[in-house]
């Protein structure tokens, strides 16, 4: 019997949470989802770079970030 795919809520949580907070199982599951859906890889990168921009107060990077997101 095949394993059930993770719920959208689980995937969103993995993307939004800091990578170092993931369990090994969560890391593996996100890696598997990303391998099957290339858009998830880009989304994860964009979300994490946005979070860095916010936490490090780098608002001047927003226009470039928006251009990058729009281009992908």
């Amino acid at each position: 019997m095949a394993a059930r795919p993770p719920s959208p809520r689980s995937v969103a949580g993995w993307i939004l949470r800091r990578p170092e907070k993931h369990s090994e199982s969560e890391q593996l599951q996100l890696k598997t989802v990303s391998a099957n859906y290339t858009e998830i890889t880009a989304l994860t990168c964009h979300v994490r770079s946005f979070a860095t921009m916010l936490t490090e107060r780098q608002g001047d990077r927003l226009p470039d970030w928006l251009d990058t997101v729009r281009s992908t």
Side-chain angles (χ1 to χ4, degrees):
M1 183 171 179
R4 290 181 56 194
S7 70
R9 181 177 290 207
S10 293
V11 175
W14 300 331
I15 292 169
L16 293 170
R17 221 169 43 245
R18 292 177 182 264
E20 62 271 11
K21 302 284 185 178
H22 295 161
S23 68
E24 286 185 36
S25 173
E26 291 169 335
Q27 290 175 15
L28 180 59
Q29 289 179 78
L30 180 57
K31 188 175 184 176
T32 300
V33 169
S34 296
N36 289 312
Y37 301 95
T38 57
E39 299 88 353
I40 297 292
T41 302
L43 175 65
T44 301
C45 179
H46 295 319
V47 167
R48 290 181 179 165
S49 66
F50 186 78
T52 298
M53 191 172 36
L54 285 177
T55 58
E56 295 181 6
R57 299 179 187 252
Q58 300 171 341
D60 57 310
R61 290 183 42 217
L62 183 61
D64 290 337
W65 182 87
L66 287 169
D67 289 342
T68 301
V69 170
R70 287 180 184 128
S71 72
T72 57

